Amino acid sequence: MDIQQERICIKCGNQMIKCYVADGFKGLLVKNPEGDGLFSNKKNTNINPFICTNCGFAEWYAEDPEKLK
Ligand SMILES: [Zn+2]
């Protein structure tokens, strides 16, 4: 999924920038617990935070949200 690279902060209206966590350039891996019954849990995606450069508010977005279904 091609997500928008710039977002507007819902708290203060400033521009937010896409960041990444230091532990993994591709983002944090999250899994849908419903996928745990499968041989290997393929219901997963990476998430990355958008952070407001004014107030510091952070929002996380999944790179491939449809993979969690
Ligand atoms: Zn803000």
Side-chain angles (χ1 to χ4, degrees), residues 20-59:
Y20 67 92
V21 291
D23 282 344
F25 182 76
K26 289 183 178 178
L28 288 177
L29 186 66
V30 294
K31 297 181 179 184
N32 181 343
E34 289 180 4
D36 283 345
L38 307 174
F39 180 69
S40 70
N41 191 343
K42 291 203 166 56
K43 293 187 175 186
N44 65 66
T45 182
N46 291 307
I47 60 172
N48 284 293
F50 280 76
I51 298 178
C52 174
T53 54
N54 181 53
C55 73
F57 180 72
E59 270 187 323

Side-chain angles (χ1 to χ4, degrees), residues 9 11-12 52 55:
C9 178
K11 302 291 185 184
C12 71
C52 174
C55 73

